[in-house]
């Protein structure tokens, strides 16, 4: 049992180390020697767990996909589907700021030097599409906006924030996401539900000043 736990810790350390290196250098320039050194293990131990750099990248993508699934589940807790979408976008931005595994997974999905089996941006798009169809079905989506058009706008913006945030973290800030939703929600949400929606997301509602639609955030 102790040997199995040690092997799991080594594997996790390698995934975390690889995420840092892929995030900084990309797939093609990432060195297995650098990854093993950062993880504090030998090259032999790395190859015991992962046959190749591609296999290690696949493990990073799998770990990132699980984290994406957790944050979208967390974002789906609110009964209003439009609010679920707002909350999940804040969780995604927070994850891309703070979680190198999630960030590396998204980077690998768009890295032309790596052809993996997963597409985290595609997984995010599918979830956004599903939650907007739910909103349409429950009557919380604006009748003048189709779920497909809304999906295109939200995915383009949130994925774009992630790309821009790699160089400038303000694109993934709480304030940026809040202002984006202040702009979009009047077009996206049914008028009868608009006043109850929080552009800042419900997770931070008690910690931050509440931002009703039509009012600017007072965060400096």
């Amino acid at each position: 049992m102790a040997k199995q736990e040690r092997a799991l810790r080594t594997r996790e350390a390698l995934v975390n180390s690889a995420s840092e290196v892929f995030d900084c250098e990309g797939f093609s320039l990432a060195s297995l020697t650098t990854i093993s050194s950062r993880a504090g293990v030998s090259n032999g131990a790395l190859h015991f767990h992962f046959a190749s750099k591609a296999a290690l990248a696949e493990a990073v993508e799998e770990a990132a996909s699980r984290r994406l699934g957790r944050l979208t589940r967390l974002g789906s807790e609110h009964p209003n589907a439009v609010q679920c979408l707002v909350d999940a976008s804040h969780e995604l931005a927070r994850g891309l700021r703070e979680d190198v595994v999630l960030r590396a997974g998204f980077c690998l999905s768009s890295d032309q030097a790596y052809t993996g089996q997963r597409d985290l941006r595609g997984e995010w798009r599918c979830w956004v599409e599903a939650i907007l169809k739910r909103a349409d079905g429950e009557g919380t989506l604006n009748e003048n906006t189709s779920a497909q058009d809304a999906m295109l706008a939200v995915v383009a913006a949130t994925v774009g924030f992630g790309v821009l945030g790699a160089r400038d973290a303000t694109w993934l800030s709480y304030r940026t996401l809040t202002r984006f939703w202040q702009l979009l929600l009047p077009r996206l949400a049914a008028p009868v539900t608009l006043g109850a929606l929080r552009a800042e997301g419900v997770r931070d509602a008690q910690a931050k000043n509440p931002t009703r639609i039509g009012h600017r955030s007072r965060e400096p």
Side-chain angles (χ1 to χ4, degrees), residues 22-54:
F22 291 146
D23 181 45
C24 292
E25 301 180 9
F27 179 78
S28 62
L29 295 179
S31 160
L32 290 178
T33 299
T34 301
I35 291 170
S36 61
S37 177
R38 284 196 180 198
V41 303
S42 66
N43 277 336
L46 185 153
H47 285 289
F48 175 81
H49 289 279
F50 301 102
S52 64
K53 184 164 65 170

Side-chain angles (χ1 to χ4, degrees), residues 120-142:
L120 266 72
R121 292 176 179 178
E123 292 176 20
W124 170 246
R125 179 191 60 76
C126 288
W127 182 85
V128 171
E129 187 173 24
I131 202 71
L132 284 166
K133 286 181 179 177
R134 176 187 143 191
D136 194 24
E138 69 187 19
T140 54
L141 190 67
N142 193 307

Side-chain angles (χ1 to χ4, degrees), residues 30-197:
S31 160
L32 290 178
T33 299
T34 301
I35 291 170
S36 61
S37 177
R38 284 196 180 198
V41 303
S42 66
N43 277 336
L46 185 153
H47 285 289
F48 175 81
H49 289 279
F50 301 102
S52 64
K53 184 164 65 170
L56 186 50
E58 288 175 9
V60 171
E61 280 195 309
E62 289 175 6
S65 179
R66 289 194 297 271
R67 295 176 191 215
L68 178 61
R70 285 197 295 270
L71 73 83
T72 51
R73 285 193 297 273
L74 181 62
S76 298
E77 293 177 350
H78 198 276
N80 183 308
V82 174
Q83 187 66 62
C84 288
L85 178 57
V86 174
D87 295 348
S89 74
H90 278 284
E91 294 296 332
L92 177 62
R94 183 182 290 109
L96 291 174
R97 289 196 313 267
E98 302 174 0
D99 186 342
V100 70
V101 175
L102 182 65
R103 192 164 60 245
F106 270 83
C107 289
L108 285 168
S109 292
S110 60
D111 193 324
Q112 295 183 352
Y114 168 70
T115 54
Q117 300 300 311
R118 291 187 176 275
D119 176 8
L120 266 72
R121 292 176 179 178
E123 292 176 20
W124 170 246
R125 179 191 60 76
C126 288
W127 182 85
V128 171
E129 187 173 24
I131 202 71
L132 284 166
K133 286 181 179 177
R134 176 187 143 191
D136 194 24
E138 69 187 19
T140 54
L141 190 67
N142 193 307
E143 63 180 10
N144 295 317
T145 301
S146 72
Q148 181 67 15
D149 287 346
M151 181 276 291
L152 291 173
V154 172
V155 171
T158 52
V159 170
F161 291 154
V163 173
L164 293 168
R167 292 183 176 272
D168 181 356
T170 59
W171 285 102
L172 289 168
S173 69
Y174 166 87
R175 186 178 184 182
T176 297
L177 265 291
T178 298
R179 288 185 169 182
F180 165 71
W181 285 114
Q182 285 176 320
L183 178 66
L184 186 62
L185 281 174
R187 172 77 183 198
L188 184 67
V192 294
T193 67
L194 189 59
L197 295 173

